[in-house]
């Protein structure tokens, strides 16, 4: 039962433009959301997170937006750089829990 | 400060065999979580070990078992391997159970192929 879904397996974007990655979840009890980035032959690394009490969190070029009513979050990368080419995973947590529920990932390719 | 390491990098086994995967935690971390990432899917939580005790388990059968040692390194054991066990196995270390995922640090994974 996939509770976190990333419906776009891949995304291609030109360098300098905006990348928008989408994630939907089904369980309204999730209250903390994270984005991880994964390069080949490496483990996922934490990118940015957001608590359910917020609707936006920004860290440099990365911004995560949360729409609780729609059970939807998105990651914006502006501007996109070649080093951003990777697989991006959306993940969710229940309150005070540690078991990450991941989506299937979106492969981002930034074209020069 | 050393990061999370896993061994071996790749492994090929046949159906019915047993396998042991190893994980060394990041320095200072006392909690290890294991995840299975099948091809085309996101990581799925297997279990977590905190201070040498299992501290939670995902939807995996008992033939998936683990150990944590006094130095907080960990093993994942899988008995009676099935073809569907072919996956990337990731471990993540954290401090005090990693209540928020941004404190979980992942290793590079072990790629297991079951023939």
């Amino acid at each position: 039962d996939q509770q976190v879904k990333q419906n776009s397996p891949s995304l291609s974007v030109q360098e300098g433009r905006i990348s928008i990655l989408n994630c939907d979840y089904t369980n309204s009890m999730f209250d903390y959301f994270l984005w991880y980035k994964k390069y080949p032959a490496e483990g996922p690394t934490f990118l940015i997170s957001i608590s359910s009490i917020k609707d936006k969190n920004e860290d440099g070029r990365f911004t995560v937006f949360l729409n609780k009513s729609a059970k939807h979050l998105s990651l914006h990368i502006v501007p996109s750089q070649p080093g951003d080419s990777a697989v991006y995973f959306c993940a969710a947590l229940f309150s005070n829990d540690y078991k990450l529920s991941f989506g299937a990932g979106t492969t981002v390719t930034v074209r020069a | 400060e050393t990061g999370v390491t896993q061994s071996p990098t790749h492994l090929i086994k046949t159906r019915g065999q047993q396998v042991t995967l190893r994980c060394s935690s990041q320095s200072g971390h006392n909690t290890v979580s294991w995840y299975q990432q099948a091809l085309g899917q996101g990581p799925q939580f297997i279990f977590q070990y905190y201070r040498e005790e299992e501290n939670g388990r995902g939807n995996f059968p008992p033939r998936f078992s683990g150990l944590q040692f006094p130095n907080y390194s960990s093993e994942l054991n899988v008995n009676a391997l099935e073809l569907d066990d072919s996956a990337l196995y990731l471990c993540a270390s954290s401090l005090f159970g990693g209540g928020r995922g941004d404190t979980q640090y992942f290793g590079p994974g072990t790629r297991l192929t079951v023939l």
Side-chain angles (χ1 to χ4, degrees):
Chain A
D1 180 24
Q2 198 75 8
Q3 299 188 81
V4 179
K5 299 179 183 179
Q6 294 176 257
N7 293 319
S8 298
S10 63
L11 173 69
S12 180
V13 64
Q14 192 165 12
E15 182 179 1
R17 306 295 289 267
I18 185 171
S19 294
I20 299 177
L21 291 79
N22 294 303
C23 177
D24 297 291
Y25 60 97
T26 58
N27 195 325
S28 58
M29 298 302 291
F30 285 132
D31 76 339
Y32 199 76
F33 304 90
L34 309 95
W35 286 93
Y36 279 81
K37 177 179 180 179
K38 186 180 185 301
Y39 292 118
E42 295 183 14
T45 55
F46 168 75
L47 191 57
I48 192 169
S49 62
I50 188 167
S51 166
S52 61
I53 62 174
K54 296 185 176 181
D55 56 16
K56 177 182 175 181
N57 188 28
E58 194 171 352
D59 184 3
R61 296 185 298 115
F62 302 91
T63 302
V64 56
F65 296 92
L66 175 62
N67 183 333
K68 284 182 62 180
S69 61
K71 297 193 185 68
H72 177 84
L73 62 155
S74 62
L75 174 68
H76 292 207
I77 307 173
V78 184
S80 299
Q81 300 175 352
D84 297 331
S85 295
V87 179
Y88 290 78
F89 291 102
C90 172
L93 279 171
F94 297 109
S95 180
N96 295 320
D97 200 2
Y98 47 81
K99 290 172 277 189
L100 291 162
S101 295
F102 283 91
T106 297
T107 301
V108 172
T109 303
V110 180
R111 310 184 310 270
Chain B
E1 181 180 273
T2 57
V4 179
T5 61
Q6 292 186 244
S7 63
T9 306
H10 296 89
L11 201 53
I12 299 175
K13 291 286 189 178
T14 56
R15 195 169 46 182
Q17 285 188 311
Q18 179 266 342
V19 69
T20 297
L21 310 182
R22 295 177 176 84
C23 173
S24 291
S25 304
Q26 182 161 315
S27 176
H29 286 180
N30 57 10
T31 304
V32 174
S33 300
W34 285 91
Y35 291 81
Q36 180 197 66
Q37 186 184 359
L39 195 62
Q41 298 181 23
Q44 300 289 317
F45 176 78
I46 303 174
F47 45 54
Q48 183 185 79
Y49 277 80
Y50 172 59
R51 293 187 173 181
E52 302 177 54
E53 298 281 337
E54 187 178 292
N55 187 41
R57 190 177 185 92
N59 189 26
F60 281 82
R63 60 189 184 84
F64 285 79
S65 63
L67 283 173
Q68 188 181 31
F69 300 100
N71 66 354
Y72 303 126
S73 65
S74 177
E75 287 182 354
L76 165 65
N77 299 291
V78 187
N79 293 322
L81 284 167
E82 300 177 0
L83 298 179
D84 285 349
D85 296 333
S86 294
L88 179 68
Y89 288 84
L90 296 161
C91 76
S93 77
S94 57
L95 192 59
F96 300 138
R100 288 301 189 211
D102 57 354
T103 60
Q104 293 192 41
Y105 296 86
F106 284 84
T110 293
R111 173 72 62 187
L112 172 65
T113 302
V114 181
L115 302 176

